[in-house]
Amino acid sequence: MFTGSGMPMRFADLDGTLIDCYQVTTQMPDESGITWPGFINTLLDNAIGANGYYGVFCANMHTDNNNPGDQSVVGSDAIIAAAQARQIPVISARQMLTWLDGRNASSFGNISWSGNNLNFTITVATGAHQLQGMVPVNAVVGQLTGITLNGSPISYTTEVIKGINYAFFDAVAGNYVASYSVDVTGPVITNVTATPHTNGTATITWTTNEVADSKVDYGTNSNNLNLNSTSGVLVTSHSILLTGLSLGTTYYFRVSSADAASNSTTEPVSPATLNFTMPSGPCASDIIAADFAAGTVDANTMVIAEGDGAVSLKPSLNEEFSGAGIPPGWTDGVWDGQAGAITTYSGGQVTVNGTHLNYNTAFGPGTSLEFTATFNAGNFQNVGFSADADFNNPWVVIGRGGAGDNHVYARNSNNQTVSLGSTLLGNPHVYRIQWKTDGSFEFYVDGVLIATPGITQSILTNMVIQISDYPAGGVGLSVDRISATPYFTPGIFISRVFDAGSTKNWGVASWTGTVPDGTYAANIPTTGCQLRCYQQCCMGSHTNQRSHNWRHITIHSIQGGFCNF
């Protein structure tokens, strides 16, 4: 294994004599914390793919334990599944050593050249199951044209191994002749494809029917392909990366390949050319939280992790329970003085178990309450609104009553209950209660409005926010974020600077956004937000969009979609 052969190795005595004892590296022990199935998938893909990392891969799985979820069971199941999906055999150590002894005892013999014919014999030892022989496709005297066994032609396949094209054939005992002739035919080129990229590069790919080198001649004038890029590696799948290309420009090109005998083919034949057009420019966009974090928020805006990331107005309540105790503005308590009841603050979340936590400030109609919570199988786990800290009527919550099933419900003090789903327990989900200005309520799970026709109670009096679990014992209710409107307004967010790298004509600017109830932007009440763009009129180091070398530009087309130019 340590010679780079990828195979088990025999030990040797001090005098160099081989000992009939092998050593193999264990790539996959079940004690090492390997991530399945990613590890075995990568290992096998690198072995059978273009990298050619061949080998015998050893797994040590203690399957005598055989408990579902154990690393030995998870690992062995992943290994078998990955091997079957790729038609790779899984064998025992005994089978491997039997085959190795058989292969090592097999041999080529009586190798000689006679004109353009390579003569050799093969001896096959016991245990060499499905043995294959290899001879080079290309030789000094020419290219392989056929192989015979004991005077009869046999079939073979070709494969490039570490840059050398070999012919593979079933190796049975007998006398072989590999015939070669002078190669005077150029490669056949097919599947020529050009893929331009927004970073000023383009990838040109094509295939040939034999291993050959790669060359692309290109330029901006079809009659003058004055640039070229080459690779001397002999392959059948060709890929050349062209760099330093101008965006928005059309390029013309031809590809060429020459085989080991220097026979060359060009596609298409001159004066014809192929062409591709570079894209006009990159899309400057802020899409994920890291993009927005590179900008500047004011006192009333914040970058949030909703979805991939977004910019939001700050809500009146935004608690992430990042501390080790009761956050400011909240009060917690124990229901009925139960023994074992406890509220814990850890890992950016609060967990109530036989306890409750309420926000001291009351809210009214028009409030949107959103929270990320993990409900469990216990009864009376609820998050929502109640008349007071003691959970008196009226109240409207998302959670569980005493049903004893696997559902999470929308519930109210009029004994109205509607299921929000039967697969929500045990995992965090984003829930929202939309308390509308007419006193009615809507309920959302992971951003999806759930129909709740059975919830008809209307409430117009102010209520407090509750997080509650009763009774103590079992797995409690965990909440790691809770927020409530109204939002602070107005808010201004200034994005990072988008640098086109050169003078450009800026195009369409657009965004994707949600306009909360009761908010709008001055002069644009129908959209709720205003997008203003600034362009630097000269090169410089200023980053303030309102400094002297920035000017406001008017974008005539404002569309929905992530901000792009």
Side-chain angles (χ1 to χ4, degrees), residues 113 115-116 136-145 179-184 260-261:
W113 282 97
N116 290 344
V137 171
N138 298 295
V140 174
V141 296
Q143 190 174 55
L144 182 69
T145 58
S179 300
Y180 293 81
S181 64
V182 177
D183 180 12
V184 294

Side-chain angles (χ1 to χ4, degrees), residues 159-212:
E159 184 177 349
V160 177
I161 306 294
K162 306 299 184 183
I164 299 176
N165 199 15
Y166 286 97
F168 286 77
F169 57 93
D170 292 335
V172 299
N175 301 307
Y176 290 82
V177 177
S179 300
Y180 293 81
S181 64
V182 177
D183 180 12
V184 294
T185 304
V188 177
I189 296 175
T190 56
N191 301 323
V192 181
T193 302
T195 306
H197 310 293
T198 58
N199 63 352
T201 66
T203 302
I204 311 298
T205 60
W206 66 98
T207 58
T208 52
N209 66 328
E210 60 176 315
V211 293

Side-chain angles (χ1 to χ4, degrees), residues 9 59 92 133 135 248 292 298 395:
M9 295 191 314
S92 67
V135 295
F292 296 116
D298 70 353
W395 51 263

Side-chain angles (χ1 to χ4, degrees), residues 105-116:
S106 302
S107 63
F108 285 88
N110 301 316
I111 301 174
S112 64
W113 282 97
S114 176
N116 290 344

